[in-house]
Amino acid sequence: MFAPRTTPWPLVALFTAGYLAPYLLPTTVGRLERGLGLSATQAGAVGSALLLSSATAGFLLASRVERVGARTLARLGLLLAAVGYGGAALTTAVPAVVAGAVIGGFGSGTATTVAATRIAAERDPHRASALGLLSVSALAGVVYLTVPHLPGHGLTLAAIALTAPAVWPLTSRLPAGTPGPRRAEPGGATARLPHRRSGLVLAGAMLLWSLAQNALWGVSGRIGVGQAHLSEATVGAVFAVALGAGLLGVLGAGALGSRLGRALPIGGGTVLIAGCIALSASATGLGSFAAGEIAWNTIYPVVLSYLIGLAASLDPRGRWAVLVGSASSLGTAAGPLTGSVLSAQAGFPVMGTVLATGLLLVALPMTAVALHTGGRPLLPGAVRRRGGHPAAVIAAAPGTPTGTVPEVGAPEQPVVEIPLDGTPAPAQVTYDTAAATRAPGAAH
């Protein structure tokens, strides 16, 4: 019998705390613009600075989680998030708001780094990332339903700040640091990153993929209010419904699992997202705006969960998961400013066309990586078929994960035991069917 799967709630909560800031980006930028008298480009630049700080944390800490300790880094990230976002929410001085957003962004990035590293070590990283996306979508939906009815520039920042202490108690279940020289692993896992070419291609593609997504996400509120002529409350309600549809999408992705592999959800899903972006950017009324946003937010977390799982499968220690996630954060950081500049220079519809075209081009290398790697965890001692697919795990070193390798394609062939020539067979009185509980040569 298989052992029951346990839910990694500390990682899900940490994932939620780290990802909440990008999910609330449209209302954060819109509130800064209206509450502090900033221009659209200036408010977008503040959002970009927040996300750039988050990406910087990922690049700096990708290889240090194991040495410093997941618990220590997670608590540091939550502390910075609470102090940074909380301070930015309590002041109206623009320099102080920017400083608080940058500090809070670094805290969010630290929390995300720890969560991504630990999720990659799970037996089912796709399930853990899907639960994290489910949690952050639900929380962001609640905020979008609440914020439009309350005044103030810092409400979304305060919501992110308050999430940090709520998650803090769960960090006690994370592992502490392992000081001293790290134990050498078979195959030089500590020295080299596996699948460097695939990892670099995926990181570059994810940067552009996230840039396109967040270029629209950062100006979606302005499209709804300015171009579709909706009230802020109506736009907030559309976002809440869209994130609720995203919950259904994540549930569907979790139920689907690896049945379709990763190439089809990533490539096909990105093509569908491109169409949704073009529709949303050209919306002139409630119907088209809601249709584009809801369809987009339904598909986006599905594709993202498979991309996170693909990055995690490239390295069991989670280094590619963090580096790809940080590259994605760089694209996310450049998104708000890119969307603001494109929309100001060419208008929202042209911006949507440009972003959709870019997504169609980016879908090709991401799908190629998914096809090349097969989406399987790379375990030490794995016999690999052509194309990088591990066929069976043999001579696993101590400490190697023993979970079942996800099946993609044909089932593995049965192992037949063949006696060597000249080896005398043990004397047997009677013959019986083979039994898994009986040792070879045991008495009958």
Side-chain angles (χ1 to χ4, degrees):
M1 295 180 65
F2 294 103
R5 293 185 300 181
T6 58
T7 302
W9 290 119
L11 300 182
V12 172
L14 201 60
F15 186 99
T16 302
Y19 262 79
L20 187 59
Y23 263 68
L24 296 179
L25 188 63
T27 187
T28 300
V29 171
R31 286 278 169 152
L32 291 176
E33 180 183 352
R34 291 186 295 272
L36 299 179
L38 302 178
S39 67
T41 302
Q42 289 172 334
V46 175
S48 292
L50 184 159
L51 297 174
L52 180 61
S53 179
S54 179
T56 302
F59 284 118
L60 292 177
L61 303 175
S63 61
R64 293 176 170 81
V65 174
E66 182 181 347
R67 182 170 66 253
V68 177
R71 185 190 308 163
T72 301
L73 278 182
R75 289 179 172 176
L76 174 62
L78 294 176
L79 178 62
L80 291 176
V83 172
Y85 294 128
L90 295 175
T91 182
T92 57
V94 175
V97 170
V98 174
V102 170
I103 294 172
F106 195 90
S108 292
T110 302
T112 303
T113 298
V114 176
T117 303
R118 299 300 303 171
I119 284 174
E122 291 287 311
R123 293 180 60 181
D124 190 351
H126 178 263
R127 176 173 176 266
S129 59
L131 287 172
L133 290 171
L134 193 68
S135 175
V136 71
S137 296
L139 182 56
V142 172
V143 175
Y144 275 119
L145 285 174
T146 305
V147 165
H149 302 285
L150 299 172
H153 76 281
L155 288 176
T156 53
L157 295 171
I160 306 170
L162 292 174
T163 303
V167 171
W168 184 283
L170 292 175
T171 59
S172 61
R173 297 167 57 184
L174 296 174
T178 54
R182 189 181 294 128
R183 179 177 58 88
E185 296 182 13
T190 57
R192 286 181 60 88
L193 275 171
H195 290 271
R196 288 193 173 188
R197 182 181 300 175
S198 295
L200 289 173
V201 170
L202 183 60
M206 276 292 289
L207 188 153
L208 299 176
W209 189 85
S210 296
L211 185 148
Q213 308 283 336
N214 286 276
L216 179 67
W217 189 236
V219 298
S220 287
R222 289 167 51 203
I223 293 175
V225 174
Q227 182 173 279
H229 307 293
L230 306 175
S231 67
E232 185 185 358
T234 302
V235 171
V238 170
F239 287 159
V241 173
L243 291 173
L247 298 180
L248 298 178
V250 174
L251 287 174
L256 185 64
S258 60
R259 290 179 179 86
L260 297 179
R262 288 194 176 102
L264 180 59
I266 290 173
T270 299
V271 171
L272 293 176
I273 287 173
C276 294
I277 285 180
L279 174 62
S280 183
S282 61
T284 56
L286 176 59
S288 54
F289 179 74
E293 292 290 330
I294 292 172
W296 174 33
N297 281 277
T298 302
I299 303 169
Y300 165 78
V302 175
V303 180
L304 180 60
S305 68
Y306 281 98
L307 286 170
I308 293 173
L310 176 60
S313 73
L314 296 179
D315 177 23
R317 290 186 57 208
R319 290 169 293 179
W320 273 126
V322 175
L323 292 174
V324 170
S326 298
S328 174
S329 295
L330 282 179
T332 301
L337 188 57
T338 301
S340 296
V341 171
L342 279 176
S343 60
Q345 296 296 322
F348 293 122
V350 174
M351 178 201 71
T353 301
V354 172
L355 297 178
T357 303
L359 279 176
L360 293 177
L361 296 176
V362 165
L364 297 176
M366 292 195 303
T367 304
V369 171
L371 288 172
H372 176 70
T373 62
R376 294 187 179 210
L378 306 175
L379 304 178
V383 178
R384 293 174 54 183
R385 301 189 189 103
R386 183 178 179 181
H389 303 307
V393 178
I394 60 174
T400 299
T402 56
T404 305
V405 177
E407 194 171 294
V408 179
E412 295 174 1
Q413 299 298 319
V415 179
V416 180
E417 186 175 322
I418 303 175
L420 300 175
D421 294 338
T423 303
Q428 295 179 325
V429 179
T430 59
Y431 291 90
D432 198 356
T433 56
T437 57
R438 185 174 295 158
H444 291 266

